[in-house]
Amino acid sequence: MTVLVTGGAGYIGSHALLRLLREGERVVTIDNLLRGHRRPIELLQERFPGKLTFVEGDIADEGLVSGVMAAHGVTTVMHFAALTYVGESVEKPLWYWTGNAAASLALLRVCDRSGVERFIFSSTAATYGQPGAEHVPIVETTPQHPINPYGASKLAFEQMLWDWCRQRASSGRPVGAAALRYFNVAGCDRGGLLGEDHDPETHLIPVILQAALGLRERIDIFGEDYPTPDGTCIRDYLHVEDLVDAHVRVMRALQPGETRRYNLAIGRGYSVREVIEACRAVTGREFAVRAGARRAGDPPVLYADPSLIANELGWRAEVTDLHAIVESAWRWFLEHPRGYGDSPARA
Ligand code: UFG
């Protein structure tokens, strides 16, 4: 069996590659390097000689992808490749529909023609939109009403997956599929090989750590007037290694004909202020914090009930302490203040 990982040069995809390679899986990854980095792929290839094939290209290129599937005998797909900025999706909706829905559909068409038996999709809490207080913590049956093109494009692909599974089951060639809905993924490989390098960076923890390193003037808090205990938004932060652990468990459990949907989260929320305090404690650095205006589209409180995957697969986040999540990121940021060093804007 060979696993195809799309988007393996990105933050989460590269951590998934590391885990799969550690498990002894044969892995091939396709990435167009639009936002991913060549360096983590090189590091993984050095660490696991001969075990990881990298193909630079786009998942929308059906000829390329079917060639890769046939050459490697791909039976499992982990689909991480995506555009992932909520704000950008509002500014460029058609680009997001193309990158996240149309390109993923092209990938699925190739899967349908090849020997793929299992498909595991990176979905998002953004598919739930802005659930009312009565729906928090979020469970998998919470209504999905995305409020931006990012969430909508991810939800559309979930629906394509379910339709594909239904049709394949009814035609006697069943396939298994899972949509894993991520909450706020954070932290870095605790072995120190891989990190988080987005350009532009907008995620809370890396932005704070860049401020702690003196690479940013300050951290702006997007709103202090939310209906939460300290007025700042609450999110459920999950360590990236726990996230990829869930993928491996799902991959091992998923049977032909099954569809699974799981929330991936620790099951408790931290406010923006709490995250800032955790970063101060871990880094021991002073940095400026400014209370600013709300950011459009931010729900006040998002955290999940992850008990479905706990009950069905025995998965629970191992790293539940926010300090430990921040520590793993800080170690990598201290050693790589400019990230992987190949982003034009920060080289
Ligand atoms: N925040 C700040 N200042 C910053 C950055 C973030 O105050 O400089 C706040 C945000 O307003 C939010 C919280 O920190 O309240 C977390 O923000 P992130 O940008 O780190 O993450 P989001 O919760 O907005 O988004 C994450 C993923 C998305 C996904 C979404 C689902 O990054 O891909 O969760 O809810 F769609």
Side-chain angles (χ1 to χ4, degrees), residues 1 18 22 33 37 71 87 99 118 127 134 162 166 197 244 341:
M1 151 178 136
L18 174 58
R22 278 196 182 130
L33 298 181
H37 305 273
R118 264 172 243 94
T127 60
E134 73 281 15
W162 311 143
R166 199 175 309 118
D197 182 359
V244 299

Side-chain angles (χ1 to χ4, degrees), residues 84-86 124-127 129 148 150-151 182-185 201-208 216 218-223 226 232-235 237 272 276 294-295 297-300 302:
T84 60
Y85 296 110
V86 169
T124 168
T127 60
N148 49 61
Y150 169 64
Y182 307 170
F183 283 68
N184 290 60
V185 187
E201 186 54 81
T202 61
H203 298 101
L204 181 63
I205 293 175
V207 164
I208 301 172
R216 283 176 193 261
R218 59 168 188 274
I219 162 86
D220 287 306
I221 298 179
F222 298 147
Y226 284 98
T232 65
C233 288
I234 291 175
R235 295 288 182 273
Y237 296 87
V272 173
I276 290 172
R294 288 185 178 196
R295 182 171 71 177
D298 274 341
L302 278 182

Side-chain angles (χ1 to χ4, degrees), residues 110-134:
V110 176
C111 293
D112 188 47
R113 295 196 295 267
S114 68
V116 170
E117 295 161 357
R118 264 172 243 94
F119 195 108
I120 297 158
F121 172 52
S122 296
S123 190
T124 168
T127 60
Y128 293 111
Q130 249 175 326
E134 73 281 15

Side-chain angles (χ1 to χ4, degrees), residues 79-310:
H79 178 31
F80 297 95
L83 299 166
T84 60
Y85 296 110
V86 169
E88 186 179 63
S89 79
V90 176
E91 286 158 27
K92 301 179 182 171
L94 300 187
W95 194 42
Y96 269 67
W97 280 103
T98 305
N100 290 352
S104 299
L105 175 60
L107 172 68
L108 198 56
R109 268 198 297 261
V110 176
C111 293
D112 188 47
R113 295 196 295 267
S114 68
V116 170
E117 295 161 357
R118 264 172 243 94
F119 195 108
I120 297 158
F121 172 52
S122 296
S123 190
T124 168
T127 60
Y128 293 111
Q130 249 175 326
E134 73 281 15
H135 286 302
V136 177
I138 295 170
V139 290
E140 287 76 0
T141 49
T142 296
Q144 288 173 288
H145 297 302
I147 56 163
N148 49 61
Y150 169 64
S153 63
K154 287 282 187 174
L155 178 59
F157 188 69
E158 282 197 14
Q159 288 165 345
M160 293 181 211
L161 261 188
W162 311 143
D163 285 346
W164 180 54
C165 288
R166 199 175 309 118
Q167 181 268 321
R168 287 288 296 257
S170 66
S171 64
R173 293 187 305 136
V175 288
L180 304 183
R181 298 175 188 149
Y182 307 170
F183 283 68
N184 290 60
V185 187
C188 297
D189 160 36
R190 284 168 293 172
L193 187 69
L194 302 177
E196 179 171 14
D197 182 359
H198 294 114
D199 188 16
E201 186 54 81
T202 61
H203 298 101
L204 181 63
I205 293 175
V207 164
I208 301 172
L209 298 183
Q210 287 175 348
L213 284 168
L215 299 172
R216 283 176 193 261
E217 219 176 298
R218 59 168 188 274
I219 162 86
D220 287 306
I221 298 179
F222 298 147
E224 283 200 306
D225 56 350
Y226 284 98
T228 60
D230 66 15
T232 65
C233 288
I234 291 175
R235 295 288 182 273
D236 193 330
Y237 296 87
L238 174 69
H239 195 273
V240 64
E241 288 176 288
D242 281 327
L243 181 95
V244 299
D245 180 55
H247 286 67
V248 170
R249 283 173 192 253
V250 169
M251 178 179 84
R252 304 255 182 264
L254 195 61
Q255 297 299 318
E258 280 184 350
T259 56
R260 294 175 183 247
R261 303 130 174 89
Y262 293 125
N263 287 337
L264 299 186
I266 66 168
R268 74 150 285 186
Y270 293 96
S271 73
V272 173
R273 280 273 176 209
E274 286 175 313
V275 176
I276 290 172
E277 284 322 309
C279 291
R280 266 198 223 287
V282 167
T283 64
R285 306 253 177 124
E286 271 312 311
F287 47 86
V289 176
R290 187 174 75 175
R294 288 185 178 196
R295 182 171 71 177
D298 274 341
V301 180
L302 278 182
Y303 64 97
D305 175 352
S307 50
L308 184 64
I309 185 167

